[in-house]
Amino acid sequence: MEYRHLGRSGLKISEIAYGNWITHGSQVEEDAAAACVAAALDEGITTFDTADVYAGTRAESVLGRALHGVRRESIEIFTKAFWPTGRGANDRGLSRKHIMESAHASLRRLQTDYVDLYQAHRYDHETPLEETLRAFDDLVRQGKALYVGVSEWRAEQIAEALRIADQMGFDRIISNQPQYSMLWRVIEAEVLPLCEKEGIGQIVFSPVAQGILTGKYLPGGDLPKGSRATDASGGAGFIKGYLQDDILTRVQLLKPIAEKAGLSMVQLALAWVLQKPIISAAIIGATRPEQVRENVRASGVRLDPEIMSAIDEALGPIVVTDPAKTASPAARA
Ligand SMILES: NC(=O)c1ccc[n+]([C@@H]2O[C@H](COP(=O)([O-])OP(=O)(O)OC[C@H]3O[C@@H](n4cnc5c(N)ncnc54)[C@H](OP(=O)(O)O)[C@@H]3O)[C@@H](O)[C@H]2O)c1
């Protein structure tokens, strides 16, 4: 495993991180979750990403139990707030009240005194940015979060957060967590150039497009048993948009390209993401330890320019690039 700085900060993280959205506390049983975390640690993954909202708050508890007993200094724990964690009007968003209450609840569930990175899961149009950034800064000053970051914010929102932090003397955000893969490149036009200039590291999610880039979903074929596409507890709804024959047909064209590079398709997808500028880590999901073991082999791989061009040619028009697709809800959910 190779390790990278998180943006311009002094924090080092594993370039392949492990996240537990959809899996822990919902799609997979607790023993499978623990086995994936054990495999991740064994393979040198030190960075673990979760959120208060995952599996209705259960995912943080599962991760807390799976990491129990691991030397705290050897791992980095990241979590987030924004999406609803309860039915109340204040159980959501990025107000000072919800940030403080949610952060404390996350620390309890994760069984830790601090998280390494605390992230705004989306932009909150209902809270003044200064209020959010001051609350984040307080968490840092209290030692409850070591660094702060955002997720799926637009370039101008990140720029404004940096301007306010500099003006007010708040701790600067050091990271952004956007969706990024060979298929979903909407951050390339605006977010990546700004973040490269400002030293904001990208910890990218769904780098394998939720499993699509493994090549296991065949056009017109049956859905693989036990896969996210068959997960009635929630996963199926999220992957649905990718299950279209034109996408799945093009993805199959990546198979010979991966073979030529001496990689599996999933390793090709991860190596592609890790090669792009200002990427600090790719966060993988996994339902079985074997997936973790296969995917970490992408660490340290460099793809030749011919392989990079062949990928673009194979995927052609199905690649999504529109920067307007980086969006947060107009009102709190
Ligand atoms: N900030 C945000 O808004 C946000 C949003 C989404 C995700 N995230 C973060 O990013 C993390 C990863 O997201 P993701 O789970 O969508 O990532 P992903 O790595 O693109 O997809 C993971 C899924 O693909 C399948 N898969 C992975 N490796 C495989 C292999 N070698 N062979 C076959 N199937 C394989 C598994 O599902 P099956 O086995 O079920 O098919 C696995 O759960 C999340 O856990 C979370 O931490 C953040």
Side-chain angles (χ1 to χ4, degrees):
M1 177 60 60
E2 297 198 358
Y3 302 85
R4 298 183 179 192
H5 281 280
L6 181 51
R8 208 180 275 158
S9 79
L11 180 68
K12 285 274 185 99
I13 63 173
S14 53
E15 65 178 11
I16 296 187
Y18 175 80
N20 71 355
W21 175 57
I22 291 189
T23 54
H24 293 189
S26 91
Q27 188 189 351
V28 304
E29 300 295 335
E30 181 121 356
D31 52 352
C36 287
V37 170
L41 290 166
D42 189 43
E43 294 290 348
I45 289 179
T46 58
T47 309
F48 294 86
D49 182 74
T50 185
D52 57 355
V53 68
Y54 292 169
T57 74
R58 289 187 305 278
E60 284 186 331
S61 302
V62 173
L63 186 63
R65 287 192 289 273
L67 289 173
H68 187 72
V70 176
R71 184 174 168 266
R72 184 65 186 85
E73 295 83 350
S74 311
I75 51 175
E76 303 83 43
I77 302 177
F78 296 178
T79 194
K80 325 180 188 79
F82 169 79
W83 297 106
T85 49
R87 279 191 286 192
N90 283 312
D91 294 332
R92 60 202 67 209
L94 297 175
S95 66
R96 165 175 284 271
K97 178 170 169 66
H98 183 58
I99 287 172
M100 289 300 168
E101 289 169 349
S102 191
H104 287 123
S106 290
L107 293 178
R108 280 195 297 275
R109 288 188 292 261
L110 289 163
Q111 302 181 41
T112 183
D113 297 332
Y114 64 93
V115 289
D116 295 272
L117 181 71
Y118 199 68
Q119 303 158 100
H121 211 153
R122 289 295 182 273
Y123 187 88
D124 181 5
H125 293 279
E126 294 190 47
T127 303
L129 191 44
E130 191 183 321
E131 176 178 336
T132 297
L133 295 176
R134 193 183 284 279
F136 270 26
D137 189 62
D138 285 346
L139 284 177
V140 172
R141 283 167 196 264
Q142 291 165 3
K144 290 171 183 163
L146 304 189
Y147 298 90
V148 289
V150 300
S151 173
E152 285 287 6
W153 282 27
R154 296 176 60 89
E156 62 269 22
Q157 294 164 341
I158 294 171
E160 181 63 0
L162 294 174
R163 192 192 64 73
I164 293 175
D166 290 346
Q167 189 184 7
M168 303 298 292
F170 296 155
D171 209 64
R172 273 185 143 222
I173 55 169
I174 58 157
S175 63
N176 177 40
Q177 187 178 132
Q179 181 178 175
Y180 190 48
S181 70
M182 286 177 186
L183 295 177
W184 192 264
R185 307 188 193 180
V186 306
I187 57 172
E188 288 182 351
E190 297 173 2
V191 172
L192 282 188
L194 184 264
C195 289
E196 203 175 358
K197 181 166 142 272
E198 297 287 352
I200 308 292
Q202 308 298 295
I203 326 156
V204 307
F205 75 75
S206 301
V208 182
Q210 302 193 47
I212 297 294
L213 290 168
T214 64
K216 69 182 178 183
Y217 294 96
L218 299 173
D222 291 336
L223 298 174
K225 278 206 183 66
S227 65
R228 186 171 295 184
T230 62
D231 171 33
S233 66
F238 284 103
I239 199 174
K240 197 169 66 192
Y242 281 123
L243 293 173
Q244 297 170 26
D245 279 355
D246 56 337
I247 296 178
L248 303 181
T249 303
R250 290 264 180 183
V251 166
Q252 288 303 311
L253 301 177
L254 297 172
K255 201 170 180 182
I257 302 171
E259 276 164 13
K260 196 165 167 224
L263 300 169
S264 68
M265 286 176 71
V266 67
Q267 291 160 350
L268 182 79
L270 290 166
W272 183 92
V273 152
L274 290 173
Q275 197 145 323
K276 297 288 177 170
I278 202 74
I279 303 298
S280 296
I283 317 173
I284 59 164
T287 54
R288 313 183 214 322
E290 309 82 78
Q291 294 177 350
V292 176
R293 296 200 187 277
E294 177 183 357
N295 299 7
V296 293
R297 302 270 96 79
S299 175
V301 170
R302 289 301 292 177
L303 300 175
D304 296 337
E306 307 85 73
I307 296 283
M308 296 297 273
S309 322
I311 290 168
D312 289 345
E313 211 171 300
L315 296 177
I318 63 164
V319 173
V320 181
T321 58
D322 180 4
K325 299 230 183 241
T326 294
S328 297
R332 289 180 200 158

